[in-house]
Amino acid sequence: RRAMCRRRGCPSPPALGVAGGFCYQESGQLAAVTRNRFVRWTTSGDTVELVEESLDVNLLNNAVRFRIQGCPFLPGGVHLCEVQSHLVVLLITGQTVHRLLLPHPARMYRSELITESQVQSVFTDIGKINFRDPVNYYVIPSVPGLASNSVASAAWLSSEGEALFALPSASGGIFVLKLPPHDAPGTVSVVELKQSSVVQRFLTGWMPTAIRGDCGPSDLPISLSVHCLDHDAFLFALCQDHKLRMWSYKDQMCLMVADLLEFMPVSRDLRLAAGTGHRLRLAFSQSLGLYLGVYMHAPKRGQFCVFQLVSTESNRYSLDHISSLFSSQETLVDFALTSAEIWALWHNEENQTVVKYINFEQNVAGQWNQVFVQPLPEEEVTVRHDQDPRETYLEYLFTPGRFTNAAIQKALQIFSQGTETHMDLTWDELKKEVTLAVENEFQGSVTEYECSLEEFWQLQVEFWSKLYACCLQYQEALSRPLALHLNPYTNMVCLLKKGSLSFLVPCSLVDHLYLLSNEHLLTEDDAAIFDDLEMSRDVVCLVQCLRLIGESISMEMAFIMEMACSRLQPPEKAAEQILEDLIANDTENVMEDIHSKLQEIRNPIHAIGVLIREMDYETDADMERAHHLNMRMNLSQLYGSGTAVNVVCWGVCKIATIRFLICRDLLILQQLLLRLEDPMVLGGGQLFQSQQDLLHRTSPLLLSYYLIRWASQCLASDVPIDTLESNLQHLSVLELADTTALTPHKLVSSPQTIVELFFQEVARKHIIARLFLQPNTSLAETSLNWPHLITAIVADFLPLLWPSNPSFLFPECLMGSCQYTQLQEYIRLLQPWCHVNMGSCCFMMGRCYLVMGEGHKVRPQLPAWVCCTGIWFRPLQLTKIWFFFPV
């Protein structure tokens, strides 16, 4: 077997449909300019939108949308190719082909090391390109036999710089249109590849078409892919007759035909039906060679087949069948292939998004792994009679991460009946426009001069719910994934949507077990959880009990725990009240099912302890403070873009949200255990004290995740730069560590939370320094692996946010960034139960009172001695320092 080398100019396999992505070949290299950069696109009719993304720096002018009027793009009609000095965009519409030459990022900047937080994108000067330049533009000729309404296309660059575009022909072959190199004279040529090319030197002129083996309409290619070699290109066509054909463009010969029905259960109806739903993907590995992934569509079922291309010295080719994987009845939208995995995107019968992946080399049982997709917001917002409908709906609409800016803007335009256009509004401006629009509709519809408070409240709910329904409709449309984007160099997987994208990140063990559906939880491999199989079974049974509790909790019961945490009441009491409500309303014998499941647990106390340890980030040691001046230049911007900050912090928010629910259900279960005192469960009461200890360990764990979740959703205030600089000067008198490292900045139009502010300004540098600045680490040889890195970053970030750890960097950052209102609420939620850094909290609360003009509240906050970040002050000395602060 011979591994075939892939040349630099070959594009990544495009995603079929209306969206796709491109990865720079050095995007996984730590020292490369194109590190963590990629391009995504969406097409709609005759319009294409391209966006360059970076996880390291904020790219300026990184989005472009243009329309080729009257020329709708073909499925998969956008292709990007990377050469030494250019990024080449190849476009295919129903009537034209285009070549756009953009500067390569490696040629755009003065230095190979990017140290600025924002740089220009490759699309910055795209407005200077002449789209009608005859060198880079061509009208597809009216060639006899060219298929109308093509459903497939492909494009690539030759080693000589020629741009080649492949289109299906109505007779079943492939037309290839060639543009000469952009910097060399030449003419456009069109050739047709036919299956008969394999024997055309022997069988031409005198033999009938049927004998000669010419292609027919049943052979129409429905999915095309290209694999580039040094001086040739292999074209793979998956056709309606369920056969896979492979051509050499250089020799214009069909090198292989494979009947794929030989690899799947076949009925007569399937063989006679046209395979219009089949899909093809390629994946290349330098060590393993070329892999082909084929999705064979059949009524009510589908099947993935993975092959490896095998060649001999005599240039004969065949397919080595690696794996066959069956899928469910969902509608396949897109799939991506690597040399070891398949990632697939479906829509189920309820039109909901389903994402799964499987390792086809190791998973003998064919069990797909579930991906937990972000659910849509609730269909209705519950407004209690003691709540203001306006405040309730505004809080729900503008909670970070729930609705996008674009969805609210489109909904606002429809709600206002198109009288005004609301584009490019900041988050605060949009909030004001929404409030004004609802109030105008309300006032325009109320004709009575007087109405009761109840009627007024009901009318408000009615109008706000109408706007909310519009927002929900657009949020659903804009959040629907269109395609998968897989970076083979970093193993990063994204869901591409209209105007946005979502990143897939690994799920921790505890969250994985809690989120798994019952059918998958029962089939989970116990050996993959813990080395101790009995302990694994105990933990799985424990999680099943928690799920039974969680699924039984009503919205009113959940609100009891939320309010207890907000009002600084003991969570144990709230859990006890929820348990009483569950028992009183147990119409489906859930308590009996829980008790039965508990009896299957060999050692419930030990299992609970294991679960608590898995979720606890408390550490005795103070986190080592990074020396920012020693940060290597090519690491200074790693994961520093707004996109990366958002991904990391929402990963933390997701973990905090899930684990708050786990801790809540665990508290309720522990209250049930104490109430049962069953010898079969607790061992005759001898472990009662251990259970009490676990109860008191679970409570601060729940409050810690509640606080992190709150901070992850709490918006940072937009502070004027002169105020921020003045604040930093005042704090420098106290010699607070790291305050001078805070960078004055103006918040962007999208909302930024205080956790994002902390990660961007302080935490990221500490984490990157710890991960990469190790002795004997060669950065030039270090490649980035997205699943490993994002897991490590989140795991290092959570201890910096953990309230009971000695590190006090998070509150220091809030104080240095003038986030005094948020800091005040943070300390309020922290003080009653957390006894670490108490002196520092008192000092910062006093500082908050002074800044907020409440100096009379300062004295009760101060103990005899106050400690802040390792520096001790007497109250008298502290009073002298206060003269430097603005009051």
Side-chain angles (χ1 to χ4, degrees):
R1 299 182 181 183
R2 185 179 63 195
M4 289 162 288
C5 296
R6 182 176 180 179
R7 192 180 47 77
R8 185 181 180 89
C10 187
S12 300
L16 185 67
V18 293
F22 163 81
C23 309
Y24 295 98
Q25 286 202 341
E26 293 185 348
S27 59
Q29 298 301 314
L30 200 58
V33 174
T34 54
R35 179 186 69 196
N36 286 326
R37 284 174 75 158
F38 60 97
V39 179
R40 59 180 173 89
W41 66 81
T42 57
T43 61
S44 178
D46 58 2
T47 302
V48 61
E49 180 178 352
L50 297 105
V51 182
E52 187 181 19
E53 301 279 4
S54 172
L55 297 178
D56 292 348
V57 292
N58 295 316
L59 298 175
L60 303 176
N61 306 304
N62 67 320
V64 60
R65 182 191 295 114
F66 51 87
R67 180 185 180 193
I68 304 176
Q69 190 168 2
C71 302
F73 284 87
L74 296 183
V78 181
H79 306 262
L80 275 76
C81 306
E82 185 180 4
V83 292
Q84 188 173 9
S85 58
H86 291 95
L87 179 65
V88 184
V89 182
L90 303 176
L91 304 175
I92 310 175
T93 73
Q95 289 81 35
T96 59
V97 294
H98 302 261
R99 171 174 55 192
L100 309 180
L101 296 176
L102 304 174
H104 192 279
R107 303 285 181 176
M108 290 180 63
Y109 314 114
R110 295 179 180 178
S111 171
E112 293 184 358
L113 298 177
I114 298 178
T115 57
E116 299 85 1
S117 61
Q118 55 186 26
V119 297
Q120 295 292 338
S121 164
V122 294
F123 297 127
T124 296
D125 295 326
I126 198 169
K128 300 177 181 178
I129 295 178
N130 180 10
F131 286 86
R132 298 291 181 176
D133 184 353
V135 176
N136 297 311
Y137 157 78
Y138 195 75
V139 177
I140 298 175
S142 299
V143 179
L146 186 64
S148 58
N149 301 321
S150 298
V151 296
S153 65
W156 72 99
L157 291 180
S158 70
S159 56
E160 290 77 23
E162 301 157 327
L164 299 112
F165 304 87
L167 298 166
S169 68
S171 61
I174 299 177
F175 281 103
V176 180
L177 187 151
K178 180 177 69 174
L179 294 182
H182 70 93
D183 54 355
T187 58
V188 177
S189 64
V190 179
V191 298
E192 184 180 7
L193 306 179
K194 293 185 178 181
Q195 185 182 350
S196 58
S197 302
V198 70
V199 289
Q200 65 179 354
R201 67 188 65 179
F202 305 109
L203 307 177
T204 55
W206 57 274
M207 294 191 67
T209 299
I211 300 177
R212 207 166 60 234
D214 281 349
C215 305
S218 64
D219 307 339
L220 181 68
I222 54 174
S223 188
L224 291 173
S225 290
V226 180
H227 176 71
C228 298
L229 304 177
D230 287 334
H231 299 288
D232 197 1
F234 289 160
L235 273 77
F236 295 88
L238 184 56
C239 304
Q240 285 189 153
D241 61 352
H242 318 290
K243 293 181 180 179
L244 177 68
R245 294 175 171 85
M246 170 182 155
W247 277 273
S248 165
Y249 172 73
K250 177 183 176 183
D251 299 328
Q252 298 185 18
M253 293 181 62
C254 182
L255 303 178
M256 181 189 68
V257 180
D259 187 356
L260 298 180
L261 293 183
E262 296 178 359
F263 302 96
M264 63 182 299
V266 179
S267 64
R268 178 180 174 84
D269 294 338
L270 179 61
R271 186 173 291 277
L272 295 177
T276 56
H278 301 337
R279 309 284 179 87
L280 172 66
R281 297 288 181 271
L282 305 181
F284 180 75
S285 167
Q286 291 287 351
S287 57
L288 300 175
L290 183 65
Y291 281 79
L292 294 85
V294 177
Y295 174 74
M296 300 294 291
H297 174 73
K300 297 184 179 180
R301 71 176 187 271
Q303 178 179 336
F304 290 93
C305 294
V306 182
F307 304 95
Q308 188 175 24
L309 185 66
V310 180
S311 64
T312 63
E313 295 301 326
S314 56
N315 284 334
R316 295 180 180 270
Y317 295 90
S318 63
L319 296 178
D320 186 2
H321 182 234
I322 303 297
S323 178
S324 286
L325 304 163
F326 294 92
S327 63
S328 52
Q329 298 182 15
E330 291 101 350
T331 302
L332 183 72
V333 178
D334 189 23
F335 81 96
L337 176 74
T338 72
S339 58
E341 293 178 331
I342 291 177
W343 291 78
L345 168 64
W346 285 282
H347 286 156
N348 62 15
E349 294 178 352
E350 290 78 28
N351 211 20
Q352 296 174 332
T353 298
V354 177
V355 183
K356 297 179 183 178
Y357 70 98
I358 189 170
N359 187 309
F360 54 79
E361 288 190 329
Q362 299 177 358
N363 198 325
V364 181
Q367 183 71 41
W368 288 80
N369 298 292
Q370 189 176 358
V371 175
F372 307 108
V373 182
Q374 178 74 20
L376 288 170
E378 297 291 337
E379 292 187 4
E380 295 182 358
V381 177
T382 302
V383 185
R384 302 191 313 274
H385 283 280
D386 60 338
Q387 290 180 310
D388 179 8
R390 180 180 66 176
E391 293 300 324
T392 303
Y393 273 97
L394 283 176
E395 180 181 356
Y396 200 85
L397 282 170
F398 289 91
T399 295
R402 188 167 284 160
F403 287 91
T404 62
N405 196 309
I408 298 177
Q409 287 185 8
K410 289 181 178 292
L412 182 58
Q413 188 171 355
I414 295 299
F415 184 80
S416 303
Q417 300 177 352
T419 55
E420 297 181 28
T421 56
H422 305 276
M423 300 300 293
D424 299 324
L425 297 177
T426 66
W427 203 242
D428 288 336
E429 291 170 346
L430 186 59
K431 197 172 185 178
K432 293 176 182 177
E433 290 292 335
V434 166
T435 305
L436 185 61
V438 176
E439 288 182 351
N440 289 340
E441 287 287 318
F442 177 77
Q443 293 172 4
S445 301
V446 175
T447 57
E448 300 290 337
Y449 287 101
E450 294 183 1
C451 63
S452 66
L453 290 176
E454 176 65 24
E455 292 173 332
F456 181 78
W457 182 88
Q458 192 63 46
L459 285 171
Q460 275 195 309
V461 171
E462 180 182 336
F463 282 97
W464 277 103
S465 62
K466 180 182 175 183
L467 172 71
Y468 181 80
C470 289
C471 293
L472 191 63
Q473 181 180 355
Y474 278 104
Q475 181 67 24
E476 182 177 2
L478 293 176
S479 62
R480 180 179 300 278
L482 303 175
L484 282 164
H485 170 58
L486 189 150
N487 186 331
Y489 311 110
T490 64
N491 298 317
M492 180 183 71
V493 182
C494 301
L495 296 179
L496 303 180
K497 306 174 183 180
K498 187 175 181 180
S500 65
L501 76 164
S502 296
F503 294 80
L504 303 188
V505 298
C507 190
S508 67
L509 173 64
V510 175
D511 306 343
H512 168 75
L513 293 176
Y514 187 77
L515 294 173
L516 269 182
S517 60
N518 288 325
E519 55 178 325
H520 286 89
L521 189 59
L522 293 173
T523 59
E524 186 73 10
D525 184 9
D526 293 330
I529 302 175
F530 297 108
D531 293 335
D532 187 341
L533 292 181
E534 290 187 350
M535 176 51 58
S536 297
R537 297 188 188 102
D538 282 356
V539 170
V540 169
C541 288
L542 177 63
V543 171
Q544 287 178 305
C545 292
L546 299 181
R547 287 171 56 87
L548 287 171
I549 292 173
E551 292 168 358
S552 304
I553 291 178
S554 65
M555 191 175 296
E556 291 76 13
M557 296 177 190
F559 184 71
I560 293 173
M561 184 62 76
E562 295 283 345
M563 293 306 295
C565 296
S566 176
R567 295 174 177 175
L568 311 180
Q569 297 169 352
E572 301 93 334
K573 297 294 183 182
E576 192 173 1
Q577 182 180 345
I578 295 173
L579 177 61
E580 292 175 356
D581 292 346
L582 285 174
I583 295 174
N585 298 282
D586 186 16
T587 58
E588 299 181 1
N589 298 322
V590 175
M591 291 296 118
E592 184 178 336
D593 294 340
I594 294 173
H595 188 265
S596 175
K597 184 63 65 175
L598 283 171
Q599 292 180 341
E600 299 178 18
I601 304 178
R602 179 179 54 89
N603 190 336
I605 303 300
H606 190 197
I608 292 173
V610 168
L611 201 62
I612 290 175
R613 284 196 300 273
E614 287 289 325
M615 296 189 292
D616 196 352
Y617 285 89
E618 184 173 332
T619 176
D620 295 332
D622 193 358
M623 297 293 290
E624 182 181 351
R625 296 176 182 268
H627 299 285
H628 303 297
L629 294 179
N630 295 331
M631 177 78 75
R632 299 190 192 183
M633 296 293 284
N634 55 345
L635 290 177
S636 61
Q637 299 301 331
L638 184 63
Y639 296 122
S641 73
T643 301
V645 171
N646 185 267
V647 171
V648 172
C649 295
W650 278 112
V652 168
C653 182
K654 191 70 177 177
I655 290 174
T657 301
I658 295 170
R659 294 189 179 179
F660 173 79
L661 299 179
I662 295 174
C663 293
R664 179 200 66 188
D665 300 343
L666 190 58
L667 272 179
I668 297 169
L669 181 65
Q670 288 172 301
Q671 292 287 3
L672 178 63
L673 287 172
L674 290 176
R675 182 171 295 198
L676 288 174
E677 296 187 8
D678 191 335
M680 295 294 293
V681 178
L682 288 179
Q686 60 183 354
L687 298 179
F688 180 81
Q689 185 60 44
S690 298
Q691 175 59 28
Q692 286 281 10
D693 294 340
L694 287 176
L695 191 69
H696 295 309
R697 285 177 58 192
T698 308
S699 180
L701 203 63
L702 177 138
L703 292 170
S704 296
Y705 282 117
Y706 176 84
L707 189 60
I708 294 174
R709 188 193 67 179
W710 168 85
S712 299
Q713 297 175 342
C714 178
L715 292 180
S717 302
D718 192 354
V719 181
I721 292 180
D722 55 348
T723 302
L724 188 58
E725 290 176 341
S726 175
N727 182 63
L728 292 176
Q729 290 176 1
H730 296 151
L731 294 179
S732 65
V733 178
L734 298 178
E735 298 180 357
L736 291 177
D738 293 329
T739 53
T740 54
L742 297 173
T743 306
H745 69 289
K746 186 174 179 60
L747 300 182
V748 293
S749 58
S750 58
Q752 185 180 38
T753 65
I754 57 176
V755 169
E756 290 174 331
L757 177 66
F758 173 54
F759 181 80
Q760 177 179 305
E761 297 297 331
V762 178
R764 182 186 65 87
K765 300 167 186 174
H766 288 260
I767 295 169
I768 297 301
R770 200 194 72 79
L771 290 178
F772 288 96
L773 299 185
Q774 303 293 336
N776 303 321
T777 301
S778 176
L779 297 183
E781 300 175 359
T782 305
S783 59
L784 301 174
N785 184 292
W786 170 255
H788 295 166
L789 268 178
I790 190 66
T791 301
I793 289 172
V794 170
D796 275 15
F797 190 26
L798 276 167
L800 292 174
L801 292 169
W802 203 250
S804 56
N805 279 343
S807 171
F808 210 57
L809 293 177
F810 181 42
E812 284 181 16
C813 175
L814 295 183
M815 186 169 66
S817 302
C818 293
Q819 306 296 318
Y820 287 105
T821 303
Q822 296 85 339
L823 178 59
Q824 202 168 350
E825 178 64 11
Y826 176 84
I827 296 175
R828 185 191 75 84
L829 293 171
L830 180 71
Q831 274 188 323
W833 58 272
C834 181
H835 306 297
V836 180
N837 297 315
M838 293 178 63
S840 299
C841 287
C842 290
F843 165 74
M844 288 195 171
M845 186 63 88
R847 167 71 177 159
C848 290
Y849 285 143
L850 286 171
V851 173
M852 304 295 288
E854 299 178 307
H856 60 282
K857 297 182 180 180
V858 173
R859 182 65 64 175
Q861 288 290 321
L862 297 176
W865 292 83
V866 178
C867 172
C868 178
T869 63
I871 304 174
W872 292 84
F873 302 99
R874 290 183 182 271
L876 181 60
Q877 294 172 323
L878 198 57
T879 303
K880 292 181 180 179
I881 294 177
W882 286 343
F883 286 110
F884 293 99
F885 296 165
V887 178

